PDB file of all heavy atoms in Angstrom:
ATOM      1  N   THR E 270     -10.734  21.571 -30.975  1.00 81.00           N
ATOM      2  CA  THR E 270      -9.493  22.158 -31.423  1.00 81.00           C
ATOM      3  C   THR E 270      -8.960  21.372 -32.630  1.00 81.00           C
ATOM      4  O   THR E 270      -8.874  20.153 -32.614  1.00 81.00           O
ATOM      5  CB  THR E 270      -8.443  22.078 -30.288  1.00 81.00           C
ATOM      6  OG1 THR E 270      -8.962  22.719 -29.135  1.00 81.00           O
ATOM      7  CG2 THR E 270      -7.198  22.854 -30.701  1.00 81.00           C
ATOM      8  N   ALA E 271      -8.548  22.105 -33.629  1.00 84.00           N
ATOM      9  CA  ALA E 271      -7.985  21.489 -34.824  1.00 84.00           C
ATOM     10  C   ALA E 271      -6.627  20.841 -34.447  1.00 84.00           C
ATOM     11  O   ALA E 271      -5.924  21.397 -33.620  1.00 84.00           O
ATOM     12  CB  ALA E 271      -7.761  22.495 -35.906  1.00 84.00           C
ATOM     13  N   PRO E 272      -6.335  19.705 -35.056  1.00 81.00           N
ATOM     14  CA  PRO E 272      -5.082  19.020 -34.733  1.00 81.00           C
ATOM     15  C   PRO E 272      -3.853  19.902 -34.812  1.00 81.00           C
ATOM     16  O   PRO E 272      -3.010  19.841 -33.939  1.00 81.00           O
ATOM     17  CB  PRO E 272      -5.052  17.892 -35.794  1.00 81.00           C
ATOM     18  CG  PRO E 272      -6.487  17.613 -36.091  1.00 81.00           C
ATOM     19  CD  PRO E 272      -7.155  18.945 -35.988  1.00 81.00           C
ATOM     20  N   GLU E 273      -3.796  20.754 -35.831  1.00 82.00           N
ATOM     21  CA  GLU E 273      -2.597  21.563 -35.996  1.00 82.00           C
ATOM     22  C   GLU E 273      -2.458  22.576 -34.849  1.00 82.00           C
ATOM     23  O   GLU E 273      -1.378  23.025 -34.533  1.00 82.00           O
ATOM     24  CB  GLU E 273      -2.644  22.336 -37.320  1.00 82.00           C
ATOM     25  CG  GLU E 273      -2.998  21.511 -38.517  1.00 82.00           C
ATOM     26  CD  GLU E 273      -4.526  21.359 -38.679  1.00 82.00           C
ATOM     27  OE1 GLU E 273      -5.210  22.375 -38.538  1.00 82.00           O
ATOM     28  OE2 GLU E 273      -4.974  20.193 -38.877  1.00 82.00           O
ATOM     29  N   SER E 274      -3.566  22.935 -34.236  1.00 84.00           N
ATOM     30  CA  SER E 274      -3.540  23.885 -33.173  1.00 84.00           C
ATOM     31  C   SER E 274      -3.473  23.256 -31.777  1.00 84.00           C
ATOM     32  O   SER E 274      -3.258  23.945 -30.797  1.00 84.00           O
ATOM     33  CB  SER E 274      -4.751  24.780 -33.190  1.00 84.00           C
ATOM     34  OG  SER E 274      -5.018  25.220 -34.537  1.00 84.00           O
ATOM     35  N   LEU E 275      -3.611  21.956 -31.756  1.00 84.00           N
ATOM     36  CA  LEU E 275      -3.758  21.296 -30.446  1.00 84.00           C
ATOM     37  C   LEU E 275      -2.464  21.406 -29.624  1.00 84.00           C
ATOM     38  O   LEU E 275      -2.518  21.658 -28.416  1.00 84.00           O
ATOM     39  CB  LEU E 275      -4.071  19.817 -30.647  1.00 84.00           C
ATOM     40  CG  LEU E 275      -4.305  19.046 -29.345  1.00 84.00           C
ATOM     41  CD1 LEU E 275      -5.467  19.632 -28.574  1.00 84.00           C
ATOM     42  CD2 LEU E 275      -4.520  17.589 -29.571  1.00 84.00           C
ATOM     43  N   LEU E 276      -1.324  21.302 -30.277  1.00 86.00           N
ATOM     44  CA  LEU E 276      -0.067  21.382 -29.540  1.00 86.00           C
ATOM     45  C   LEU E 276       0.077  22.706 -28.876  1.00 86.00           C
ATOM     46  O   LEU E 276       0.321  22.780 -27.659  1.00 86.00           O
ATOM     47  CB  LEU E 276       1.101  21.102 -30.530  1.00 86.00           C
ATOM     48  CG  LEU E 276       2.495  21.257 -29.893  1.00 86.00           C
ATOM     49  CD1 LEU E 276       2.649  20.333 -28.729  1.00 86.00           C
ATOM     50  CD2 LEU E 276       3.536  20.976 -30.972  1.00 86.00           C
ATOM     51  N   GLU E 277      -0.119  23.776 -29.645  1.00 87.00           N
ATOM     52  CA  GLU E 277       0.015  25.101 -29.068  1.00 87.00           C
ATOM     53  C   GLU E 277      -1.058  25.349 -28.018  1.00 87.00           C
ATOM     54  O   GLU E 277      -0.813  25.949 -26.949  1.00 87.00           O
ATOM     55  CB  GLU E 277      -0.037  26.186 -30.107  1.00 87.00           C
ATOM     56  CG  GLU E 277       0.074  27.559 -29.505  1.00 87.00           C
ATOM     57  CD  GLU E 277       0.405  28.655 -30.503  1.00 87.00           C
ATOM     58  OE1 GLU E 277       0.367  28.349 -31.726  1.00 87.00           O
ATOM     59  OE2 GLU E 277       0.705  29.785 -30.073  1.00 87.00           O
ATOM     60  N   ALA E 278      -2.282  24.883 -28.320  1.00 84.00           N
ATOM     61  CA  ALA E 278      -3.390  25.081 -27.378  1.00 84.00           C
ATOM     62  C   ALA E 278      -3.092  24.395 -26.040  1.00 84.00           C
ATOM     63  O   ALA E 278      -3.285  24.963 -24.964  1.00 84.00           O
ATOM     64  CB  ALA E 278      -4.667  24.563 -27.952  1.00 84.00           C
ATOM     65  N   ALA E 279      -2.635  23.165 -26.137  1.00 83.00           N
ATOM     66  CA  ALA E 279      -2.321  22.442 -24.908  1.00 83.00           C
ATOM     67  C   ALA E 279      -1.175  23.094 -24.151  1.00 83.00           C
ATOM     68  O   ALA E 279      -1.207  23.252 -22.916  1.00 83.00           O
ATOM     69  CB  ALA E 279      -1.959  20.994 -25.255  1.00 83.00           C
ATOM     70  N   LEU E 280      -0.185  23.530 -24.871  1.00 86.00           N
ATOM     71  CA  LEU E 280       0.992  24.162 -24.211  1.00 86.00           C
ATOM     72  C   LEU E 280       0.557  25.462 -23.562  1.00 86.00           C
ATOM     73  O   LEU E 280       0.878  25.726 -22.406  1.00 86.00           O
ATOM     74  CB  LEU E 280       2.094  24.436 -25.252  1.00 86.00           C
ATOM     75  CG  LEU E 280       3.308  25.201 -24.710  1.00 86.00           C
ATOM     76  CD1 LEU E 280       3.898  24.426 -23.501  1.00 86.00           C
ATOM     77  CD2 LEU E 280       4.346  25.371 -25.796  1.00 86.00           C
ATOM     78  N   ARG E 281      -0.217  26.254 -24.280  1.00 85.00           N
ATOM     79  CA  ARG E 281      -0.650  27.533 -23.687  1.00 85.00           C
ATOM     80  C   ARG E 281      -1.590  27.315 -22.513  1.00 85.00           C
ATOM     81  O   ARG E 281      -1.511  28.059 -21.538  1.00 85.00           O
ATOM     82  CB  ARG E 281      -1.294  28.414 -24.732  1.00 85.00           C
ATOM     83  CG  ARG E 281      -0.308  28.933 -25.789  1.00 85.00           C
ATOM     84  CD  ARG E 281      -0.815  30.180 -26.503  1.00 85.00           C
ATOM     85  NE  ARG E 281       0.239  30.697 -27.345  1.00 85.00           N
ATOM     86  CZ  ARG E 281       1.121  31.595 -26.971  1.00 85.00           C
ATOM     87  NH1 ARG E 281       1.078  32.077 -25.756  1.00 85.00           N
ATOM     88  NH2 ARG E 281       2.034  32.042 -27.799  1.00 85.00           N
ATOM     89  N   GLY E 282      -2.437  26.340 -22.624  1.00 79.00           N
ATOM     90  CA  GLY E 282      -3.276  26.020 -21.486  1.00 79.00           C
ATOM     91  C   GLY E 282      -2.408  25.682 -20.248  1.00 79.00           C
ATOM     92  O   GLY E 282      -2.726  26.106 -19.135  1.00 79.00           O
ATOM     93  N   MET E 283      -1.384  24.937 -20.527  1.00 80.00           N
ATOM     94  CA  MET E 283      -0.504  24.569 -19.412  1.00 80.00           C
ATOM     95  C   MET E 283       0.221  25.773 -18.848  1.00 80.00           C
ATOM     96  O   MET E 283       0.397  25.899 -17.627  1.00 80.00           O
ATOM     97  CB  MET E 283       0.531  23.564 -19.960  1.00 80.00           C
ATOM     98  CG  MET E 283       1.299  22.841 -18.923  1.00 80.00           C
ATOM     99  SD  MET E 283       0.279  21.576 -18.120  1.00 80.00           S
ATOM    100  CE  MET E 283       0.612  20.177 -19.188  1.00 80.00           C
ATOM    101  N   LEU E 284       0.628  26.667 -19.724  1.00 81.00           N
ATOM    102  CA  LEU E 284       1.406  27.803 -19.271  1.00 81.00           C
ATOM    103  C   LEU E 284       0.542  28.839 -18.562  1.00 81.00           C
ATOM    104  O   LEU E 284       1.041  29.536 -17.650  1.00 81.00           O
ATOM    105  CB  LEU E 284       2.102  28.507 -20.489  1.00 81.00           C
ATOM    106  CG  LEU E 284       3.150  27.654 -21.164  1.00 81.00           C
ATOM    107  CD1 LEU E 284       3.736  28.363 -22.373  1.00 81.00           C
ATOM    108  CD2 LEU E 284       4.256  27.288 -20.207  1.00 81.00           C
ATOM    109  N   LEU E 285      -0.711  28.946 -18.936  1.00 74.00           N
ATOM    110  CA  LEU E 285      -1.532  29.997 -18.367  1.00 74.00           C
ATOM    111  C   LEU E 285      -2.248  29.508 -17.107  1.00 74.00           C
ATOM    112  O   LEU E 285      -2.969  30.263 -16.474  1.00 74.00           O
ATOM    113  CB  LEU E 285      -2.579  30.442 -19.383  1.00 74.00           C
ATOM    114  CG  LEU E 285      -2.006  31.213 -20.595  1.00 74.00           C
ATOM    115  CD1 LEU E 285      -3.092  31.492 -21.608  1.00 74.00           C
ATOM    116  CD2 LEU E 285      -1.330  32.486 -20.103  1.00 74.00           C
ATOM    117  N   ALA E 286      -2.027  28.252 -16.766  1.00 61.00           N
ATOM    118  CA  ALA E 286      -2.846  27.651 -15.701  1.00 61.00           C
ATOM    119  C   ALA E 286      -2.718  28.375 -14.404  1.00 61.00           C
ATOM    120  O   ALA E 286      -3.686  28.517 -13.649  1.00 61.00           O
ATOM    121  CB  ALA E 286      -2.424  26.200 -15.530  1.00 61.00           C
ATOM    122  N   ASP E 287      -1.541  28.893 -14.113  1.00 54.00           N
ATOM    123  CA  ASP E 287      -1.333  29.497 -12.791  1.00 54.00           C
ATOM    124  C   ASP E 287      -1.704  30.967 -12.789  1.00 54.00           C
ATOM    125  O   ASP E 287      -1.544  31.640 -11.786  1.00 54.00           O
ATOM    126  CB  ASP E 287       0.077  29.259 -12.351  1.00 54.00           C
ATOM    127  CG  ASP E 287       1.066  29.631 -13.434  1.00 54.00           C
ATOM    128  OD1 ASP E 287       0.644  29.789 -14.566  1.00 54.00           O
ATOM    129  OD2 ASP E 287       2.272  29.780 -13.126  1.00 54.00           O
ATOM    130  N   ASP E 288      -2.134  31.482 -13.892  1.00 49.00           N
ATOM    131  CA  ASP E 288      -2.378  32.926 -13.988  1.00 49.00           C
ATOM    132  C   ASP E 288      -3.840  33.244 -13.709  1.00 49.00           C
ATOM    133  O   ASP E 288      -4.304  34.333 -14.032  1.00 49.00           O
ATOM    134  CB  ASP E 288      -1.992  33.462 -15.374  1.00 49.00           C
ATOM    135  CG  ASP E 288      -0.497  33.534 -15.559  1.00 49.00           C
ATOM    136  OD1 ASP E 288       0.195  33.253 -14.531  1.00 49.00           O
ATOM    137  OD2 ASP E 288      -0.054  33.813 -16.646  1.00 49.00           O
ATOM    138  N   GLY E 289      -4.568  32.332 -13.144  1.00 44.00           N
ATOM    139  CA  GLY E 289      -5.956  32.573 -12.908  1.00 44.00           C
ATOM    140  C   GLY E 289      -6.802  32.232 -14.100  1.00 44.00           C
ATOM    141  O   GLY E 289      -8.022  32.096 -13.985  1.00 44.00           O
ATOM    142  N   ARG E 290      -6.187  32.114 -15.263  1.00 43.00           N
ATOM    143  CA  ARG E 290      -6.928  31.681 -16.425  1.00 43.00           C
ATOM    144  C   ARG E 290      -7.481  30.266 -16.162  1.00 43.00           C
ATOM    145  O   ARG E 290      -6.869  29.447 -15.499  1.00 43.00           O
ATOM    146  CB  ARG E 290      -6.009  31.635 -17.650  1.00 43.00           C
ATOM    147  CG  ARG E 290      -5.721  33.005 -18.205  1.00 43.00           C
ATOM    148  CD  ARG E 290      -6.752  33.483 -19.180  1.00 43.00           C
ATOM    149  NE  ARG E 290      -6.647  32.827 -20.465  1.00 43.00           N
ATOM    150  CZ  ARG E 290      -7.428  31.843 -20.840  1.00 43.00           C
ATOM    151  NH1 ARG E 290      -8.304  31.335 -20.055  1.00 43.00           N
ATOM    152  NH2 ARG E 290      -7.277  31.287 -22.047  1.00 43.00           N
ATOM    153  N   LEU E 291      -8.637  30.046 -16.699  1.00 44.00           N
ATOM    154  CA  LEU E 291      -9.231  28.731 -16.506  1.00 44.00           C
ATOM    155  C   LEU E 291      -9.553  28.142 -17.857  1.00 44.00           C
ATOM    156  O   LEU E 291     -10.648  28.083 -18.295  1.00 44.00           O
ATOM    157  CB  LEU E 291     -10.495  28.855 -15.658  1.00 44.00           C
ATOM    158  CG  LEU E 291     -10.976  27.501 -15.066  1.00 44.00           C
ATOM    159  CD1 LEU E 291     -10.080  27.155 -13.894  1.00 44.00           C
ATOM    160  CD2 LEU E 291     -12.387  27.629 -14.582  1.00 44.00           C
ATOM    161  N   GLY E 292      -8.535  27.702 -18.520  1.00 50.00           N
ATOM    162  CA  GLY E 292      -8.739  27.193 -19.826  1.00 50.00           C
ATOM    163  C   GLY E 292      -8.861  25.679 -19.807  1.00 50.00           C
ATOM    164  O   GLY E 292      -9.611  25.116 -19.053  1.00 50.00           O
ATOM    165  N   ASP E 293      -8.020  25.036 -20.562  1.00 61.00           N
ATOM    166  CA  ASP E 293      -8.025  23.590 -20.615  1.00 61.00           C
ATOM    167  C   ASP E 293      -7.119  23.081 -19.502  1.00 61.00           C
ATOM    168  O   ASP E 293      -5.904  22.939 -19.683  1.00 61.00           O
ATOM    169  CB  ASP E 293      -7.503  23.115 -22.000  1.00 61.00           C
ATOM    170  CG  ASP E 293      -7.234  21.640 -21.975  1.00 61.00           C
ATOM    171  OD1 ASP E 293      -7.983  20.945 -21.219  1.00 61.00           O
ATOM    172  OD2 ASP E 293      -6.359  21.184 -22.730  1.00 61.00           O
ATOM    173  N   ARG E 294      -7.696  22.776 -18.395  1.00 67.00           N
ATOM    174  CA  ARG E 294      -6.918  22.281 -17.273  1.00 67.00           C
ATOM    175  C   ARG E 294      -7.077  20.777 -17.120  1.00 67.00           C
ATOM    176  O   ARG E 294      -6.565  20.204 -16.193  1.00 67.00           O
ATOM    177  CB  ARG E 294      -7.315  22.967 -15.968  1.00 67.00           C
ATOM    178  CG  ARG E 294      -7.461  24.521 -16.157  1.00 67.00           C
ATOM    179  CD  ARG E 294      -7.362  25.208 -14.883  1.00 67.00           C
ATOM    180  NE  ARG E 294      -6.043  25.051 -14.259  1.00 67.00           N
ATOM    181  CZ  ARG E 294      -5.641  25.688 -13.209  1.00 67.00           C
ATOM    182  NH1 ARG E 294      -6.456  26.541 -12.589  1.00 67.00           N
ATOM    183  NH2 ARG E 294      -4.411  25.487 -12.726  1.00 67.00           N
ATOM    184  N   SER E 295      -7.795  20.221 -18.044  1.00 67.00           N
ATOM    185  CA  SER E 295      -8.053  18.794 -17.904  1.00 67.00           C
ATOM    186  C   SER E 295      -6.816  17.983 -18.200  1.00 67.00           C
ATOM    187  O   SER E 295      -6.477  17.036 -17.505  1.00 67.00           O
ATOM    188  CB  SER E 295      -9.183  18.343 -18.838  1.00 67.00           C
ATOM    189  OG  SER E 295      -8.859  18.741 -20.168  1.00 67.00           O
ATOM    190  N   LEU E 296      -6.085  18.431 -19.233  1.00 68.00           N
ATOM    191  CA  LEU E 296      -4.812  17.754 -19.555  1.00 68.00           C
ATOM    192  C   LEU E 296      -3.870  17.894 -18.347  1.00 68.00           C
ATOM    193  O   LEU E 296      -3.194  16.931 -17.940  1.00 68.00           O
ATOM    194  CB  LEU E 296      -4.207  18.330 -20.813  1.00 68.00           C
ATOM    195  CG  LEU E 296      -2.845  17.691 -21.203  1.00 68.00           C
ATOM    196  CD1 LEU E 296      -2.994  16.225 -21.479  1.00 68.00           C
ATOM    197  CD2 LEU E 296      -2.284  18.417 -22.425  1.00 68.00           C
ATOM    198  N   GLU E 297      -3.846  19.090 -17.853  1.00 68.00           N
ATOM    199  CA  GLU E 297      -2.996  19.330 -16.683  1.00 68.00           C
ATOM    200  C   GLU E 297      -3.389  18.432 -15.514  1.00 68.00           C
ATOM    201  O   GLU E 297      -2.545  17.794 -14.866  1.00 68.00           O
ATOM    202  CB  GLU E 297      -3.147  20.803 -16.288  1.00 68.00           C
ATOM    203  CG  GLU E 297      -2.038  21.305 -15.376  1.00 68.00           C
ATOM    204  CD  GLU E 297      -2.369  22.738 -14.962  1.00 68.00           C
ATOM    205  OE1 GLU E 297      -3.310  23.331 -15.514  1.00 68.00           O
ATOM    206  OE2 GLU E 297      -1.681  23.249 -14.048  1.00 68.00           O
ATOM    207  N   ALA E 298      -4.690  18.368 -15.283  1.00 71.00           N
ATOM    208  CA  ALA E 298      -5.162  17.565 -14.173  1.00 71.00           C
ATOM    209  C   ALA E 298      -4.790  16.100 -14.354  1.00 71.00           C
ATOM    210  O   ALA E 298      -4.360  15.428 -13.426  1.00 71.00           O
ATOM    211  CB  ALA E 298      -6.714  17.695 -14.037  1.00 71.00           C
ATOM    212  N   PHE E 299      -4.949  15.633 -15.584  1.00 69.00           N
ATOM    213  CA  PHE E 299      -4.566  14.265 -15.880  1.00 69.00           C
ATOM    214  C   PHE E 299      -3.080  14.056 -15.609  1.00 69.00           C
ATOM    215  O   PHE E 299      -2.665  13.113 -14.913  1.00 69.00           O
ATOM    216  CB  PHE E 299      -4.903  13.880 -17.305  1.00 69.00           C
ATOM    217  CG  PHE E 299      -3.995  12.905 -17.926  1.00 69.00           C
ATOM    218  CD1 PHE E 299      -3.922  11.604 -17.396  1.00 69.00           C
ATOM    219  CD2 PHE E 299      -3.202  13.220 -19.011  1.00 69.00           C
ATOM    220  CE1 PHE E 299      -3.047  10.686 -17.956  1.00 69.00           C
ATOM    221  CE2 PHE E 299      -2.340  12.292 -19.550  1.00 69.00           C
ATOM    222  CZ  PHE E 299      -2.259  11.046 -19.022  1.00 69.00           C
ATOM    223  N   LEU E 300      -2.307  14.899 -16.195  1.00 64.00           N
ATOM    224  CA  LEU E 300      -0.852  14.718 -16.108  1.00 64.00           C
ATOM    225  C   LEU E 300      -0.369  14.831 -14.673  1.00 64.00           C
ATOM    226  O   LEU E 300       0.610  14.219 -14.272  1.00 64.00           O
ATOM    227  CB  LEU E 300      -0.133  15.756 -16.984  1.00 64.00           C
ATOM    228  CG  LEU E 300      -0.402  15.618 -18.478  1.00 64.00           C
ATOM    229  CD1 LEU E 300       0.212  16.798 -19.248  1.00 64.00           C
ATOM    230  CD2 LEU E 300       0.139  14.328 -19.021  1.00 64.00           C
ATOM    231  N   ARG E 301      -1.061  15.655 -13.911  1.00 64.00           N
ATOM    232  CA  ARG E 301      -0.652  15.891 -12.547  1.00 64.00           C
ATOM    233  C   ARG E 301      -1.107  14.758 -11.615  1.00 64.00           C
ATOM    234  O   ARG E 301      -0.660  14.658 -10.483  1.00 64.00           O
ATOM    235  CB  ARG E 301      -1.272  17.241 -12.102  1.00 64.00           C
ATOM    236  CG  ARG E 301      -0.596  17.960 -11.008  1.00 64.00           C
ATOM    237  CD  ARG E 301       0.741  18.500 -11.346  1.00 64.00           C
ATOM    238  NE  ARG E 301       0.793  19.625 -12.262  1.00 64.00           N
ATOM    239  CZ  ARG E 301       0.371  20.834 -11.992  1.00 64.00           C
ATOM    240  NH1 ARG E 301      -0.176  21.066 -10.830  1.00 64.00           N
ATOM    241  NH2 ARG E 301       0.505  21.760 -12.838  1.00 64.00           N
ATOM    242  N   SER E 302      -2.002  13.968 -12.117  1.00 66.00           N
ATOM    243  CA  SER E 302      -2.633  12.965 -11.247  1.00 66.00           C
ATOM    244  C   SER E 302      -2.168  11.550 -11.597  1.00 66.00           C
ATOM    245  O   SER E 302      -2.953  10.623 -11.621  1.00 66.00           O
ATOM    246  CB  SER E 302      -4.146  13.030 -11.381  1.00 66.00           C
ATOM    247  OG  SER E 302      -4.618  14.347 -11.116  1.00 66.00           O
ATOM    248  N   THR E 303      -0.895  11.453 -11.836  1.00 62.00           N
ATOM    249  CA  THR E 303      -0.378  10.193 -12.324  1.00 62.00           C
ATOM    250  C   THR E 303      -0.073   9.155 -11.277  1.00 62.00           C
ATOM    251  O   THR E 303       0.165   7.994 -11.552  1.00 62.00           O
ATOM    252  CB  THR E 303       0.908  10.472 -13.131  1.00 62.00           C
ATOM    253  OG1 THR E 303       1.778  11.204 -12.278  1.00 62.00           O
ATOM    254  CG2 THR E 303       0.579  11.224 -14.372  1.00 62.00           C
ATOM    255  N   GLY E 304      -0.115   9.584 -10.033  1.00 54.00           N
ATOM    256  CA  GLY E 304       0.327   8.710  -8.967  1.00 54.00           C
ATOM    257  C   GLY E 304      -0.497   7.447  -8.814  1.00 54.00           C
ATOM    258  O   GLY E 304       0.073   6.357  -8.746  1.00 54.00           O
ATOM    259  N   GLY E 305      -1.777   7.604  -8.760  1.00 54.00           N
ATOM    260  CA  GLY E 305      -2.604   6.437  -8.512  1.00 54.00           C
ATOM    261  C   GLY E 305      -2.484   5.377  -9.550  1.00 54.00           C
ATOM    262  O   GLY E 305      -2.572   5.648 -10.746  1.00 54.00           O
TER     263      GLY E 305
END
Side-chain angles (χ1 to χ4, degrees):
Chain E
T270 307
E273 312 84 45
S274 314
L275 183 61
L276 176 56
E277 179 165 9
L280 176 57
R281 290 202 174 269
M283 195 75 89
L284 294 178
L285 293 175
D287 48 346
D288 288 352
R290 286 274 284 101
L291 197 76
D293 169 29
R294 314 200 65 173
S295 56
L296 178 61
E297 197 185 352
F299 149 63
L300 295 174
R301 204 67 72 69
S302 305
T303 52

